[in-house]
Amino acid sequence: MVENREKFAVLTCYDATFAAVLENAGVDVLLVGDSLGNVLHGSDTTLAVTPEDMIYHTRCVAHGSNKALIITDMPFGSYQISPAQAFEHAARIIAAGAQMVKIEGGRIMADTIQFLSQRGIPVCAHIGLTPQSVHQLGGYKLQGNTEKSAKQLLDDAKALEKSGASLLVMEMVPAKLAKKITQALSIPTIGIGAGPDCSGQVLVLHDMLGLSQGKKPRFVKDFMPGAKNVPEAVANYVQAVKTGQFPAKEHEF
């Protein structure tokens, strides 16, 4: 799809029913996100999500999916100690039905990503706002908005690609920087609050359906208004991503 310059649509997914609904509406990638800690468990952060949570929900999504690429987040504490620890948890996630795992962090995770990818586990890297590091970052804030931090994100992205990452998520990154990073890499990028020039876009399912509680992030759009049901709302999201209508200027940083 990227070689054909076709945008791809990603949504988080946590169960078999929605896996089928999202696939049938044209979603290309299902992300079993640790955001389940927020939208399913009701937590303020993703930090309490366990490997068992991720394995269970990966298995549920895999049962309902026939064709989409399934990526599963590795939860906090399951990969930071050592590459061997990361492999142990990643192997369980792959066995549950995922085709790829997602790891947060910059170049510090390069050795771990290389270790996994050399052993047959595809990895999606994640830079910018990394929710598992929310306390260290001082909250849910825009990243890469200074010359120094922008250079660091670009250098991180290049290092992660070199280490073997197959995809790169960028979250809450200025649109111009995300475009620069996308152009500098040969692997596809997925944006969430990172402007329109990434290879694909992702939103949390509950945000896209207008179900999340509390303050809505700037990069979120509710696709339920004007749709007669959930499948139509999802199809509208997919169409908006593929035609470049989403994200619009009001969703950028």
Side-chain angles (χ1 to χ4, degrees):
M1 293 176 70
V2 174
E3 289 174 353
N4 292 329
R5 297 185 178 181
E6 180 183 351
K7 301 283 188 180
F8 60 92
V10 188
L11 282 172
T12 63
C13 187
Y14 317 101
D15 61 48
T17 298
F18 266 106
V21 169
L22 301 189
E23 275 196 6
N24 291 336
V27 175
D28 304 297
V29 182
L30 304 178
L31 173 61
V32 186
D34 59 1
S35 51
L36 65 87
N38 305 112
V39 298
L40 300 187
H41 298 172
S43 299
D44 292 333
T45 71
T46 63
L47 300 179
V49 175
T50 67
E52 287 68 29
D53 292 330
M54 300 311 301
I55 291 165
Y56 171 79
H57 287 281
T58 297
R59 189 175 293 116
C60 291
V61 170
H63 284 324
S65 173
N66 292 310
K67 56 187 178 181
L69 175 67
I70 300 174
I71 304 173
T72 296
D73 275 330
M74 295 192 66
F76 181 69
S78 68
Y79 59 92
Q80 288 92 343
I81 295 176
S82 69
Q85 177 217 27
F87 181 85
E88 179 182 352
H89 288 292
R92 295 176 66 200
I93 288 172
I94 297 297
Q99 287 97 37
M100 183 179 291
V101 297
K102 182 163 76 66
I103 290 177
E104 295 184 9
R107 73 192 73 186
I108 193 172
M109 300 312 306
D111 288 345
T112 296
I113 290 173
Q114 184 177 48
F115 190 91
L116 295 181
S117 61
Q118 287 180 340
R119 287 159 178 78
I121 297 181
V123 180
C124 175
H126 182 154
I127 62 172
L129 174 66
T130 48
Q132 292 177 14
S133 302
V134 62
H135 295 317
Q136 186 178 40
L137 295 174
Y140 297 97
K141 299 177 180 179
L142 182 68
Q143 304 296 308
N145 55 339
T146 67
E147 184 177 348
K148 180 180 179 181
S149 61
K151 182 181 184 304
Q152 180 178 330
L153 285 181
L154 177 59
D155 290 345
D156 282 347
K158 291 178 178 178
L160 295 172
E161 177 184 29
K162 186 177 180 180
S163 72
S166 299
L167 286 169
L168 177 72
V169 169
M170 291 185 282
E171 182 169 355
M172 287 188 69
V173 172
K176 289 183 179 179
L177 175 59
K179 180 179 181 179
K180 183 177 181 180
I181 291 174
T182 298
Q183 292 175 339
L185 303 180
S186 62
I187 60 173
T189 61
I190 301 171
I192 177 166
D197 295 301
C198 298
S199 312
Q201 298 291 332
V202 62
L203 283 177
V204 172
L205 175 64
H206 293 63
D207 289 344
M208 190 227 87
L209 296 177
L211 298 175
S212 297
Q213 305 299 308
K215 184 179 179 181
K216 183 174 73 173
R218 177 175 178 173
F219 55 80
V220 168
K221 179 178 179 179
D222 179 0
F223 281 85
M224 278 304 297
K228 65 177 181 288
N229 53 35
V230 168
E232 184 174 303
V234 175
N236 290 344
Y237 164 75
V238 172
Q239 181 69 9
V241 169
K242 291 185 179 294
T243 58
Q245 296 176 341
F246 177 81
K249 281 291 182 182
E250 64 264 29
H251 305 117
E252 295 181 18
F253 295 98

